[in-house]
């Protein structure tokens, strides 16, 4: 009842489902935002990609004990001629880094885990779809791919330090699309 909020700490793209962190007070909001800025908050997203990853991209993947993993570093900025789309620009873009792990593959889709290390607008969507990224858009992405019944991108996990108790907090949100939807 004494909240100076609620105040949203970060954002999700409009069609993305999943976890959104909200602070009750201005002080907690500032503390949590600082954790996002210094990249101490851990985020994990699950997505279904529409298609298969090209062999060129496969050459950069590493096989680990947990699956095929990789890293995408493509700087992003707003496309001034086609808002709200973002573009890759080495000259004007801001640093955008995404690590990923492939969970499973079929002939039509790839189930993937994204670990964004930065938080740029449409970062995961562009990194998935762009030819210098995975070259395989997220299923249902109307801006960078093709329309489906939904955007198959879900913010599944957040880990952060509680601003008051200093306790490590881990939150999970069940993925609303199952592997059988592939």
């Amino acid at each position: 009842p004494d909240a100076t909020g609620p105040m949203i700490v970060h954002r999700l793209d409009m069609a993305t489902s999943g976890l959104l962190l909200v602070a009750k007070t201005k002080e907690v909001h500032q503390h949590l935002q600082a954790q996002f800025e210094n990249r101490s908050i851990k985020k994990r997203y699950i997505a279904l990609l529409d298609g298969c990853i090209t062999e060129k991209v496969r050459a950069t993947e590493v096989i680990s004990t947990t699956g095929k993993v990789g890293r995408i570093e493509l700087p992003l900025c707003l496309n001034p001629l086609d808002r709200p789309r973002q573009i890759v620009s080495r000259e004007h873009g801001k640093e955008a880094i995404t690590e990923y792990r492939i969970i499973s593959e079929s002939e039509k889709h790839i189930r993937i885990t994204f670990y964004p290390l930065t938080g740029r607008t449409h970062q995961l969507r562009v990194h998935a779809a762009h030819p210098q990224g995975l070259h395989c858009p997220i299923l249902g992405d109307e801006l960078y791919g093709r329309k489906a019944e939904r955007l198959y991108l879900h913010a599944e996990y957040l880990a952060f330090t509680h601003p008051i108790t200093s306790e490590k907090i881990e939150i999970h949100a069940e993925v609303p699309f199952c592997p059988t939807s592939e």
Side-chain angles (χ1 to χ4, degrees), residues 74-137:
L74 295 173
L76 303 176
C77 65
L78 179 65
N79 183 343
L81 303 175
D82 191 12
R83 294 176 156 222
R85 290 181 205 271
Q86 304 293 306
I87 58 172
V88 172
S89 172
R90 305 242 182 245
E91 183 180 352
H92 301 291
K94 292 183 179 178
E95 178 183 53
I97 303 169
T98 304
E99 292 180 344
Y100 66 89
R101 180 177 57 87
I102 294 174
I103 300 169
S104 63
E105 299 179 76
S106 72
E107 290 180 17
K108 294 182 181 179
H109 302 112
I110 296 170
R111 191 172 181 87
I112 193 166
T113 304
F114 286 122
Y115 305 91
L117 302 183
T118 54
R120 303 290 172 226
T121 300
H122 298 178
Q123 176 176 320
L124 301 178
R125 295 164 67 182
V126 175
H127 282 179
H130 197 275
Q132 294 173 15
L134 296 176
H135 203 199
C136 190

Side-chain angles (χ1 to χ4, degrees), residues 35-53:
Q35 288 184 58
F36 271 100
E37 287 174 21
N38 69 26
R39 299 181 185 174
S40 62
I41 288 188
K42 304 299 178 209
K43 304 170 280 185
R44 183 173 66 222
Y45 291 75
I46 302 294
L48 276 182
L49 302 186
D50 190 14
C52 299
I53 296 175

Side-chain angles (χ1 to χ4, degrees), residues 63-79:
I63 307 298
S64 76
T65 57
T66 58
K68 298 170 188 165
V69 298
R71 182 178 173 111
I72 303 163
E73 296 185 38
L74 295 173
L76 303 176
C77 65
L78 179 65
N79 183 343

